[in-house]
């Protein structure tokens, strides 16, 4: 995934002041929405685009790219503000454009959104969106059941751009109202001592164990990754500490890289935050956030259990030692730095479960706590200069990351809008049902393959949204619970992070450790076997996702799947007799896939 627009070095001087001020305005706007009551959708959502475009089209650009970005930003921001100003008039048009000016404005919005996504994450998702738009415009000329009746240009583009659908639909609502707040929360935590706190707690908990450096990577990545929501960002951050530590202790490079890639990928399925995916799932399923968190907890723990077992097997096989005493943090450092993430997390959970407020309201309270903690550090001294440096880092990071996710969501929203207008989603659902013969398991395999293909170079959340829009109804029609179907698709949208030929987390880890990426990928697939099997286990034993309804049966199902995963990991990692490994594989597969 290309992150050029967000990874460029920060400008200096006046430019830095301007960008920091703009980032602060973005943070204030998105937090302000939480406390401001009802804000019209055609105000909050177009304004979200206003705060997205400059970061992805201008930040870090030079030459032609810079000036084209300035032009596109002016056009896109102008179009978005025009919609804000004229929202009452547009509400009376019911998604139908009037006059050439409105048609041109709609075309500008679509083209700017496509280009913003291309500059953020590369070609694949914008190409998918462009093909979908062409289908919406010209699909009436396609013969057979995959054609559609046709939609007038003014109606089609109007639905995409001036109604509360497509660009300004439910996905954008999640991005502006929920995801942005949690991105700000993560940026504030990472600007302070929370990241070091994650590492210190993980090192203290697992550092002295066999394969301790690798197990530290697992724990720290699970903690950090839930906030970051990006496997690549997780590898780059926690990997900067764990990869050199594993290298110093003599870990084979392929194993070190694979451990970090697999652990970092798992952060996106780890409650309480699960990156951005959990909040998108809330909107698409109607299930409360707490229900999704409860359903996702045991499968996520099973994933890291399988990784842990695999690491332990490699540690026995290669005699991998734990961290040296001098490399482990002092107890005082563990206690002090852990407060920098425990306090905001406590406030977050207390807000949701104690006060009963919305997740975004609780996250906003946690943001304020995190800002207060920026005043001090591991030395427990108040330092205003350090505070302002950290605050500047936090708002710049938040502004860029909100924009990156927003550009992805806006582009994916175009695809979802076309699926709704043309009925293509229903037709693809019908195709899946007919191709699978109306049987659930073939449909699951087709869906998994589609998720793998779509996830190549497309971020997990976007791959999940598009795939569940077309495959989700088919799985539900075949008897799956809606939340179960969404979790299945969300997990498999992660496949491409460690599965060749496009495996972003592996590429970054391999580059950082200096190893051939394919060797790292093959080892990562071995360690991350749970990513391939646990979604199938959730279908075979759905009780594992029903922690609220049937807690005892959920634990029983988790123990069954966990035993199967341990057997399979043992067979894949340890060099025992072929017969023993075959028996372990077969027995493990039965335990994972056999219904309760």
């Amino acid at each position: 995934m290309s992150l050029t627009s967000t990874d460029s070095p920060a400008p200096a001087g006046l430019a830095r002041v301007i960008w920091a001020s703009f980032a602060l305005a973005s943070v204030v706007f998105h937090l302000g929405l939480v406390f401001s009551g009802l804000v019209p959708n055609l105000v909050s959502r177009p304004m979200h685009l206003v705060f997205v475009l400059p970061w992805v089209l201008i930040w870090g650009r030079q030459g032609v790219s810079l000036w084209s970005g300035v032009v596109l930003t002016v056009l896109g921001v102008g179009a978005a503000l025009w919609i804000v100003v004229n929202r009452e008039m547009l509400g009376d048009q019911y998604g139908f454009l009037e006059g050439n000016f409105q048609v041109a404005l709609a075309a500008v919005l679509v083209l700017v959104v496509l280009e913003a996504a291309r500059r953020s994450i590369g070609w694949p998702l914008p190409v998918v969106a462009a093909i979908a738009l062409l289908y919406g415009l010209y699909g009436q000329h396609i013969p057979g059941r995959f054609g559609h009746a046709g939609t007038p240009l003014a109606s089609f583009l109007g639905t995409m751009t001036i109604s509360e659908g497509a660009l300004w639909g439910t996905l954008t609502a999640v991005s502006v109202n929920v995801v942005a707040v949690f991105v700000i929360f993560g940026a504030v935590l990472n600007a302070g001592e929370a990241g070091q706190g994650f590492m210190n707690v993980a090192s203290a908990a697992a550092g002295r164990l066999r394969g301790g450096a690798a197990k530290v990577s697992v724990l720290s990545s699970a903690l950090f990754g839930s906030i970051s929501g990006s496997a690549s960002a997780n590898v780059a951050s926690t990997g900067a500490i764990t990869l050199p530590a594993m290298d110093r202790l003599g870990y084979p490079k392929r194993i070190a890289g694979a451990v970090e890639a697999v652990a970092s990928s798992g952060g996106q399925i780890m409650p309480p935050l699960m990156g951005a995916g959990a909040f998108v799932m809330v909107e698409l399923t109607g299930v409360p956030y707490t229900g999704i968190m409860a359903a996702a907890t045991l499968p996520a723990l099973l994933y890291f259990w399988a990784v842990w077992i695999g690491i332990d097997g490699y540690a026995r096989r290669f005699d991998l030692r734990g961290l040296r005493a001098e490399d482990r943090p002092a107890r005082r450092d563990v206690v002090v730095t852990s407060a920098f993430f425990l306090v905001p997390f406590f406030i977050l959970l207390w807000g949701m479960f104690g006060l009963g407020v919305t997740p975004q309201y609780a996250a906003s309270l946690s943001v304020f706590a995190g800002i207060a903690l920026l005043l001090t550090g591991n030395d427990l001294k108040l330092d205003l200069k350090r505070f302002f440096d950290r605050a500047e880092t936090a708002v710049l990071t938040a502004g860029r990351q909100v924009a990156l996710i927003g550009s992805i969501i806006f582009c994916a929203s175009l695809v979802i809008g076309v699926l709704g207008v043309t009925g293509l989603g229903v037709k693809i659902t019908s195709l899946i049902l007919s191709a699978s013969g109306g049987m659930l398991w073939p449909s699951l395999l087709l869906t998994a393959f589609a998720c793998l293909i779509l996830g190549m170079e497309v971020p997990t959340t976007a791959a999940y949204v598009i795939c569940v829009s077309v495959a989700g109804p088919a799985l539900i029609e075949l008897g799956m619970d809606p939340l179960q179907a969404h979790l299945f698709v969300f997990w498999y949208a992660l496949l491409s992070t460690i599965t060749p030929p496009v495996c972003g987390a592996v590429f970054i880890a391999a580059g950082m450790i200096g190893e051939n990426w394919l060797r790292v990928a093959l080892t990562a697939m071995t360690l991350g076997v749970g990513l391939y099997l646990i979604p199938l286990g959730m279908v075979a034993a759905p009780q594992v996702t029903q922690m609220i309804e049937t807690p005892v049966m959920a634990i029983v199902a988790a123990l069954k799947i966990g035993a199967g995963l341990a057997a399979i990991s043992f067979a894949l990692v340890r060099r025992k007799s072929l017969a023993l490994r075959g028996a372990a594989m077969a027995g493990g597969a039965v335990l994972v896939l056999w219904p309760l």
Side-chain angles (χ1 to χ4, degrees):
M1 179 171 65
S2 172
L3 295 174
T4 306
S5 63
T6 62
D7 284 353
S8 302
L14 179 61
R16 186 176 182 88
V17 173
I18 293 172
W19 280 110
S21 301
F22 183 67
L24 179 61
S26 176
V27 169
V28 170
F29 169 76
H30 288 100
L31 290 179
L33 289 176
V34 177
F35 302 99
S36 59
L38 293 176
V39 176
N41 293 334
L42 287 184
V43 172
S44 61
R45 299 172 192 179
M47 285 301 299
H48 185 50
L49 183 63
V50 169
F51 286 109
V52 165
L53 293 179
W55 291 108
V56 296
L57 294 175
I58 299 177
W59 172 272
R61 306 290 173 184
Q62 295 179 346
V64 175
S65 180
L66 170 62
W67 291 111
S68 63
V70 170
V71 172
L72 290 170
T73 298
V74 170
L75 291 173
V77 168
L81 291 176
W82 187 88
I83 288 178
V84 172
V85 172
N86 296 279
R87 62 187 180 277
E88 293 183 1
M89 176 188 74
L90 296 176
D92 295 332
Q93 294 181 201
Y94 301 102
F96 195 91
L97 298 173
E98 295 180 355
N100 292 332
F101 171 77
Q102 290 191 12
V103 172
L105 180 134
V108 164
L109 277 172
V110 169
L111 292 174
V112 167
V113 164
L114 292 176
E115 175 61 10
R118 186 195 69 80
R119 294 196 184 194
S120 293
I121 56 171
W123 284 99
L125 181 58
V127 167
V128 170
I131 292 172
L133 290 167
L134 290 173
Y135 174 80
L137 290 171
Y138 301 109
Q140 66 270 24
H141 302 298
I142 298 176
R145 61 175 177 171
F146 279 95
H148 60 77
T151 306
L153 178 66
S155 178
F156 178 74
L157 286 180
T159 302
M160 295 293 111
T161 58
I162 67 168
S163 67
E164 293 182 15
L167 275 186
W168 320 125
T170 55
L171 272 186
T172 302
V174 175
S175 181
V176 65
N177 293 322
V178 183
V179 174
V181 177
F182 278 90
V183 168
I184 295 168
F185 174 51
V188 171
L189 285 190
N190 292 329
E193 301 274 351
Q196 188 59 49
F198 289 147
M199 292 301 305
N200 286 346
V201 168
S203 298
R208 61 175 56 108
L209 301 177
R210 181 176 52 242
K215 291 172 180 175
V216 167
S217 174
V218 171
L219 292 180
S220 61
S221 294
L223 292 168
F224 180 83
S226 181
I227 295 176
S228 73
S230 166
S232 299
N234 202 352
V235 171
S237 53
T238 60
I241 299 173
T242 59
L243 288 172
M246 286 187 273
D247 195 28
R248 283 198 309 271
L249 292 170
Y251 284 56
K253 291 181 182 294
R254 66 179 179 88
I255 293 176
V259 165
E260 184 58 46
V262 170
S264 294
S265 297
Q268 292 183 80
I269 55 175
M270 186 68 192
L273 302 186
M274 298 169 63
F279 308 109
V280 177
M281 205 176 295
V282 168
E283 186 65 38
L284 296 182
T285 63
V287 176
Y289 170 74
T290 50
I292 288 174
M293 189 172 70
T297 296
L298 287 179
L301 292 176
L302 285 170
Y303 174 84
F304 285 104
W305 160 253
V307 177
W308 190 281
I309 292 297
I311 289 171
D312 198 68
Y314 277 126
R316 291 177 183 272
R317 181 172 152 192
F318 292 100
D319 191 25
L320 304 178
R321 304 183 303 279
L323 290 174
R324 296 172 299 196
E326 59 267 27
D327 290 332
R328 296 197 296 268
R331 181 174 300 176
R332 182 256 181 206
D333 291 337
V334 175
V335 172
V336 172
T337 57
S338 65
F340 288 91
F341 70 85
L342 288 176
V343 170
F345 263 85
F346 171 79
I347 292 174
L348 174 69
L349 298 177
W350 171 70
M352 288 190 294
F353 299 110
L355 297 179
V357 297
T358 62
Q360 57 266 41
Y361 193 99
S364 299
L365 300 179
S366 299
V367 168
F368 298 139
I371 292 172
L373 289 171
L374 295 180
L375 285 165
T376 188
N378 191 24
D379 55 10
L380 296 181
K381 295 179 181 178
L382 294 178
D383 188 331
L384 287 179
K385 182 181 182 304
R386 180 172 60 186
F387 168 77
F388 286 115
D389 288 343
R390 288 175 169 179
E392 182 187 42
T393 299
V395 296
L396 285 170
T397 301
R400 298 197 308 270
Q401 292 183 347
V402 166
L404 174 64
I405 295 175
S407 65
I408 296 166
I409 293 295
F410 277 119
C411 192
S413 295
L414 290 175
V415 179
I416 303 306
V418 172
L419 293 177
V421 169
T422 63
L424 180 61
V426 175
K427 295 169 185 175
I428 296 178
T429 297
S430 175
L431 178 65
I432 292 173
L433 290 172
S434 61
S436 63
M439 295 183 289
L440 177 60
W441 285 91
S443 294
L444 293 174
L445 296 178
L446 285 172
T447 302
F449 181 71
C451 288
L452 173 61
I453 298 300
L454 189 61
M456 293 179 182
E457 284 293 333
V458 174
T460 302
T461 302
Y464 152 67
V465 167
I466 296 172
C467 212
V468 83
S469 298
V470 296
L475 300 181
I476 293 169
E477 190 171 331
L478 290 170
M480 288 183 70
D481 177 79
L483 178 56
Q484 185 186 29
H486 279 255
L487 283 172
F488 178 88
V489 173
F490 184 68
W491 271 64
Y492 275 145
L494 270 173
L495 284 179
S496 64
T497 61
I498 62 171
T499 307
V502 178
C503 36
V506 165
F507 287 152
I508 295 174
M512 292 175 70
I513 198 66
E515 177 59 284
N516 177 274
W517 73 269
L518 187 56
R519 296 189 70 200
V520 175
L522 294 175
T523 308
M525 292 171 69
T526 299
L527 282 175
V529 65
L531 185 59
Y532 303 89
L533 295 179
I534 292 172
L536 300 176
M538 287 191 285
V539 176
Q543 297 89 343
V544 75
T545 62
Q546 298 169 357
M547 192 66 181
I548 293 179
E549 299 89 342
T550 56
V552 174
M553 291 304 296
I555 293 173
V556 170
L559 291 174
K560 175 184 78 75
I561 295 172
L565 291 171
I568 292 170
S569 293
F570 169 86
L572 290 173
V573 171
R574 299 300 302 277
R575 287 292 180 257
K576 299 295 184 180
S577 72
L578 191 59
L580 177 59
R581 294 171 67 194
M585 286 282 286
V590 169
L591 285 171
V592 171
L593 301 177
W594 197 264
L596 276 178

